[in-house]
Amino acid sequence: MTLDINAKFEQIKKDSSNIAGYPTNTNFDYTDFYKFFQFNINNVGDPYDDNLYACNTHEFECEVIEWFAKLLKSNGHHWGYVTHGGTEGNMHGMYLAREVWPNGIVYMSEETHYSINKIVHMLKMEHIIVKSLENGEIDYEDFDDMIHMHRDRPAIVVANIGTTMKGAIDNLQKIKAVLKKHAIRKKYIHCDAALYGMILPFVAGAPQFDFSAGIDSIAVSGHKFIGLPIPAGLVIANKSHVERVKTSIEYIGAHDTTISGSRNGITPLMLHRAIHEKGRDGFQALVDQCYTNTKYLMLKLAEIDWRSWVNNHSTTVVIERPPEWIVRKWQMAVAENWSHIIVMPHVDKSMIDAIVADLKIERNRW
Ligand SMILES: *Cc1c(COP(=O)(O)O)cnc(C)c1O
């Protein structure tokens, strides 16, 4: 059978207007970047270095990193790069953590993203899976017990800044209080902020998770809240940690500070455009809109008695698992009896009404 590329185009076009359960903003248009598709653009190497391969977009990549570093309240001593997604950012953070504390123990929760599980195996890092609370946050008491048991070892903590399924935000102040209580001075905090790293900076009163709160590294997605046609993300870390990795591999004659060798040079251009076109005010408006629509969704679900709840500062609405046809139609993620609707910028009132209308059909059937 020969695959039909035009049929594929039509199918994707149709299905991309029905994404309610995956954290990808579909509101974007980067078609004016087509002209770059005729060149072999490659951002190989450290974006901050001089590079012999001239067909790169490193200066745009650096500006993107600087914009995010400011947003995440870096004191200026940072380093970062545009990754191929959230997983690569997490991997870089964990790699640095292992180089800093080779005999450290990784603390992650039951609700930590599956990428971290894979990464600790790949990097052969000893790890402990801490219990999660009902709402998806890390269980601070269990964390306290685990730290107490291993207080002679450095602690590498993965803080979930928005868990995938429940949008729960681990409280860094509480995590730091536990470390302090047990006098753990050898510590490293990596924030997995794939989705909420682009939301919480625009929310007054949200839990702190940035460099001013003493984190060591953070991974944020580019294709999630911002929206991109190609997966991308970024990782930013305390510069002193990166210096360690840098010197250890300098023998190859270049600063091979990134995980991938050849890297995407198109996504930094798109991210650069997105952040400059919208600016902080634009993202602020988008975040406000998402919270307004989250409230609207909760109201509509209550009207039809569909069981649902949402964490504080979250736009991930956890709902009782709908039947298969609804899950498929709206591309909702599922876990056991639960599913979720993630209110991204493209999930507007009319889309919410359409989803709720489908749920109502089922509710009436019961
Ligand atoms: C999406 C997500 C990731 C992984 O990102 P990819 O771009 O799919 O690699 C990691 N952590 C969290 C919390 C996520 O939501």
Side-chain angles (χ1 to χ4, degrees), residues 85-87 90 113 115 162-164 192 194-195 221 223-224:
T87 300
N90 281 340
H113 189 262
S115 61
T163 61
T164 311
D192 179 2
L195 173 59
S221 279
H223 60 280
K224 288 189 172 173

Side-chain angles (χ1 to χ4, degrees), residues 23 83-90 111-116 118 160-165 192-196 219 221-224 231-233:
T83 63
H84 294 109
T87 300
E88 187 183 340
N90 281 340
E111 299 272 339
T112 294
H113 189 262
Y114 64 87
S115 61
I116 300 281
K118 173 169 61 189
N160 304 312
I161 307 305
T163 61
T164 311
M165 208 48 215
D192 179 2
L195 173 59
Y196 287 88
S221 279
H223 60 280
K224 288 189 172 173

Side-chain angles (χ1 to χ4, degrees), residues 157-219:
V157 185
V158 178
N160 304 312
I161 307 305
T163 61
T164 311
M165 208 48 215
K166 299 173 181 166
I169 298 148
D170 290 346
N171 189 311
L172 260 188
Q173 305 312 318
K174 290 185 188 171
I175 287 172
K176 286 195 317 191
V178 169
L179 296 173
K180 190 154 194 260
K181 176 181 164 192
H182 297 286
I184 307 286
R185 274 197 255 144
K186 295 181 174 175
K187 58 182 194 289
Y188 186 108
I189 298 175
H190 173 75
C191 288
D192 179 2
L195 173 59
Y196 287 88
M198 237 345 252
I199 297 179
L200 296 187
F202 303 100
V203 183
Q208 245 196 334
F209 67 96
D210 52 33
F211 286 96
S212 70
I215 67 165
D216 294 281
S217 54
I218 185 166

Side-chain angles (χ1 to χ4, degrees), residues 15 17-22 165 306 317-342 351 354-362 365-366:
D15 286 334
S17 60
N18 282 351
I19 303 174
Y22 287 89
M165 208 48 215
W306 199 278
V317 175
V318 184
I319 63 170
E320 190 183 334
R321 185 177 179 149
E324 194 63 18
W325 72 271
I326 294 180
V327 167
R328 293 228 163 258
K329 176 172 170 186
W330 295 103
Q331 302 172 62
M332 293 174 179
V334 288
E336 292 166 23
N337 297 326
W338 296 99
S339 183
H340 66 207
I341 295 168
I342 304 183
M351 188 165 169
I355 297 169
V356 173
D358 281 349
L359 292 172
K360 198 173 172 188
I361 295 171
E362 286 300 323
R365 243 180 233 161
W366 292 353

